[in-house]
Amino acid sequence: MATSQSDRDPFEVSTRQRPPLPLPEDEPMTAHRPGMEPIERLSDGRVAYWPDGIGTYTIAFWGDKQQQLADDTDTAIQAMDEIQAGEQHLSEDFLYSKLRSIRRLKQRLTAIEEELLLIAREPNMFGAVVSWRDLGEGLDQHHTTVKERHDRITRGGTHSFRRWLTENTPRADRYPTS
């Protein structure tokens, strides 16, 4: 039976907004380092280990927002490396820039986590996609806490970075945003 335009969910996306990213097994993206060949590549084609002990992980993405996330993640890894190297005297500029990037990374990850929580509870023809208990397990929280969080988000208590995440997407206006 054909579905009329008025019967469709106004938020349903019938086509992707862009093509999917290539799968690592179809298109390996190992980094290149001048004068070196990796001593080991993991099967996914994105991780390589080099003779000098450095490991690289290559990320594929579309757009500036994913690059911002990758940049902030890279900054957090740099800070972690300095801490693990035993560095005791980090400059004020270093500390400021690393703390700022880590704060932004946490905000972006929170927005992504909350959006996934919303998606997980959006009904399909079989009911909710993921149960409260399974969501609680995945978030390492009691299922009632997850439900309370979901209820707060659907009432507009979303993270401020939700706008950053959903801007120019069909999901942007699906829920009120604080």
Side-chain angles (χ1 to χ4, degrees), residues 125-143:
M125 67 174 100
F126 305 109
V129 177
V130 182
S131 73
W132 293 118
R133 289 192 188 279
D134 287 345
L135 286 169
E137 179 76 24
L139 293 168
D140 195 27
Q141 295 177 337
H142 193 270
H143 66 277

Side-chain angles (χ1 to χ4, degrees), residues 18-137:
R18 58 178 156 236
L21 291 170
L23 296 173
E25 56 271 12
D26 296 336
E27 189 176 324
M29 296 183 187
T30 303
H32 171 75
R33 296 185 64 204
M36 283 194 224
E37 287 296 319
I39 56 174
E40 179 183 5
R41 288 187 183 149
L42 297 187
S43 61
D44 69 1
R46 305 246 168 130
V47 178
Y49 294 98
W50 304 86
D52 59 1
I54 291 176
T56 56
Y57 188 107
T58 306
I59 299 174
F61 55 83
W62 292 105
D64 293 339
K65 292 177 183 179
Q66 290 84 342
Q67 183 177 350
Q68 291 167 352
L69 190 66
D71 286 345
D72 289 337
T73 302
D74 186 53
T75 301
I77 291 170
Q78 291 171 20
M80 182 179 172
D81 187 60
E82 288 296 309
I83 292 166
Q84 291 183 333
E87 184 58 53
Q88 297 296 315
H89 305 287
L90 301 172
S91 73
E92 186 176 330
D93 287 344
F94 178 91
L95 293 168
Y96 173 79
S97 70
K98 301 314 181 226
L99 288 169
R100 185 189 65 204
S101 287
I102 290 168
R103 174 184 45 83
R104 288 188 311 215
L105 176 61
K106 288 175 11 180
Q107 291 171 319
R108 290 178 172 122
L109 291 175
T110 298
I112 294 167
E113 179 181 81
E114 288 185 354
E115 199 65 24
L116 290 173
L117 176 58
L118 291 171
I119 292 167
R121 291 300 300 174
E122 290 172 0
N124 61 25
M125 67 174 100
F126 305 109
V129 177
V130 182
S131 73
W132 293 118
R133 289 192 188 279
D134 287 345
L135 286 169
E137 179 76 24

